[in-house]
Amino acid sequence: MDIDASAAHHASERRGLLVAFEGIDGAGKSTQAKLLAEWLGSKGFPVSVFHEPTPGPVGLEIRRLAKAGRDELTPRREFELFLEDRAWDVRERIGPALARGEVVLMDRYYISSMAYQGALGLDPAEILRANEAIAPRPDLVLVFTLPVDVALERVCSRHASGQDLFEKRESLVRVREIFDGLEGSHFRHIDAEAPLDAITERVRAEVEPMLARVMAAG
Ligand code: TYD
């Protein structure tokens, strides 16, 4: 597959704005995506929020397998499933929304594949290449960062203990390291331990200058 030609093809079709919210579980990205969507909506911008894994057929299969325990899956198979789910997302939701000129907020996108499947031993650069061949590059990636122990307190206080928690911690440390090491002109690392309002302000400040290319209603 010709990756460069494919990426250029996506780029040339682009209108709208694509923003990815990323980070380890418990970093607050879903909350921030929702708050930004409300703010954009109140200003008359057309906006969609999409979560991955998706509610499409492969996304549902991923959730089913996750419940059953990921032991059944090799890292490569897991990577392939997320890639297939993302192809569905691009075809069914992201592509059409961008073509309509919307602001598309991704609550997880392929940067999660780089971090989570990278933490399982796959090469993040290979994951990036495979994804950029099928999915548009985000205009902005907001990576919410916080210490793994704080994240675990936020998400695991209700369940998981002993070995479970230990295994989850080990793997999340690797996931966080990959997220934190990612750089690029379109990457912003945001301290997820800051007060909620301060984070919301920062997110708006990052997105606002990029809105010039999106048409607001009225
Ligand atoms: P979900 O229950 O939706 O969690 P969250 O609310 O934190 O997004 O499950 C998403 C899980 O799937 C999460 O642990 C990260 C993982 N994931 C990957 O491993 N690779 C990917 O490409 C994506 C999008 C998610």
mmCIF file of all heavy atoms in Angstrom, residues 27 32 43 76 104 134 141 183:
data_model
loop_
_atom_site.group_PDB
_atom_site.id
_atom_site.type_symbol
_atom_site.label_atom_id
_atom_site.label_comp_id
_atom_site.label_asym_id
_atom_site.label_seq_id
_atom_site.Cartn_x
_atom_site.Cartn_y
_atom_site.Cartn_z
ATOM 1 N N ALA A 27 -7.759 10.214 32.956
ATOM 2 C CA ALA A 27 -7.101 11.517 32.800
ATOM 3 C C ALA A 27 -8.102 12.654 32.582
ATOM 4 O O ALA A 27 -7.719 13.814 32.594
ATOM 5 C CB ALA A 27 -6.101 11.471 31.640
ATOM 6 N N GLN A 32 -13.448 16.651 29.273
ATOM 7 C CA GLN A 32 -12.997 17.847 28.564
ATOM 8 C C GLN A 32 -13.541 17.894 27.135
ATOM 9 O O GLN A 32 -13.876 18.974 26.640
ATOM 10 C CB GLN A 32 -11.466 17.928 28.569
ATOM 11 C CG GLN A 32 -10.879 18.240 29.931
ATOM 12 C CD GLN A 32 -11.338 19.598 30.483
ATOM 13 O OE1 GLN A 32 -11.663 20.513 29.735
ATOM 14 N NE2 GLN A 32 -11.369 19.720 31.800
ATOM 15 N N LYS A 43 -21.408 28.479 20.609
ATOM 16 C CA LYS A 43 -20.910 29.532 19.708
ATOM 17 C C LYS A 43 -21.366 29.299 18.268
ATOM 18 O O LYS A 43 -20.948 30.017 17.352
ATOM 19 C CB LYS A 43 -19.376 29.571 19.750
ATOM 20 C CG LYS A 43 -18.837 30.118 21.062
ATOM 21 C CD LYS A 43 -17.328 30.211 20.987
ATOM 22 C CE LYS A 43 -16.759 31.150 22.016
ATOM 23 N NZ LYS A 43 -17.238 32.524 21.939
ATOM 24 N N ARG A 76 -0.649 -8.231 18.203
ATOM 25 C CA ARG A 76 -0.857 -7.866 16.797
ATOM 26 C C ARG A 76 -2.327 -7.942 16.411
ATOM 27 O O ARG A 76 -2.846 -7.077 15.712
ATOM 28 C CB ARG A 76 -0.013 -8.768 15.887
ATOM 29 C CG ARG A 76 -0.146 -8.433 14.407
ATOM 30 C CD ARG A 76 1.107 -8.701 13.612
ATOM 31 N NE ARG A 76 2.228 -7.894 14.028
ATOM 32 C CZ ARG A 76 2.475 -6.651 13.589
ATOM 33 N NH1 ARG A 76 1.682 -6.078 12.714
ATOM 34 N NH2 ARG A 76 3.520 -5.992 14.018
ATOM 35 N N VAL A 104 -14.588 17.976 14.688
ATOM 36 C CA VAL A 104 -14.721 16.593 15.146
ATOM 37 C C VAL A 104 -13.784 16.373 16.329
ATOM 38 O O VAL A 104 -12.564 16.554 16.211
ATOM 39 C CB VAL A 104 -14.402 15.596 14.006
ATOM 40 C CG1 VAL A 104 -14.442 14.165 14.516
ATOM 41 C CG2 VAL A 104 -15.380 15.776 12.855
ATOM 42 N N ILE A 134 -4.824 5.021 6.696
ATOM 43 C CA ILE A 134 -6.287 4.845 6.598
ATOM 44 C C ILE A 134 -7.086 5.955 7.285
ATOM 45 O O ILE A 134 -8.302 6.025 7.132
ATOM 46 C CB ILE A 134 -6.727 3.488 7.200
ATOM 47 C CG1 ILE A 134 -6.336 3.397 8.698
ATOM 48 C CG2 ILE A 134 -6.132 2.314 6.438
ATOM 49 C CD1 ILE A 134 -7.479 3.119 9.602
ATOM 50 N N VAL A 141 -3.588 17.373 18.770
ATOM 51 C CA VAL A 141 -3.684 16.234 19.694
ATOM 52 C C VAL A 141 -3.453 16.756 21.106
ATOM 53 O O VAL A 141 -2.385 17.303 21.405
ATOM 54 C CB VAL A 141 -2.632 15.152 19.371
ATOM 55 C CG1 VAL A 141 -2.733 14.001 20.389
ATOM 56 C CG2 VAL A 141 -2.793 14.620 17.960
ATOM 57 N N GLU A 183 5.880 13.732 20.492
ATOM 58 C CA GLU A 183 6.048 15.154 20.210
ATOM 59 C C GLU A 183 5.708 15.442 18.767
ATOM 60 O O GLU A 183 5.746 14.563 17.927
ATOM 61 C CB GLU A 183 7.504 15.560 20.468
ATOM 62 C CG GLU A 183 7.778 15.816 21.935
ATOM 63 C CD GLU A 183 9.250 16.040 22.214
ATOM 64 O OE1 GLU A 183 9.995 16.282 21.251
ATOM 65 O OE2 GLU A 183 9.622 15.955 23.387
#
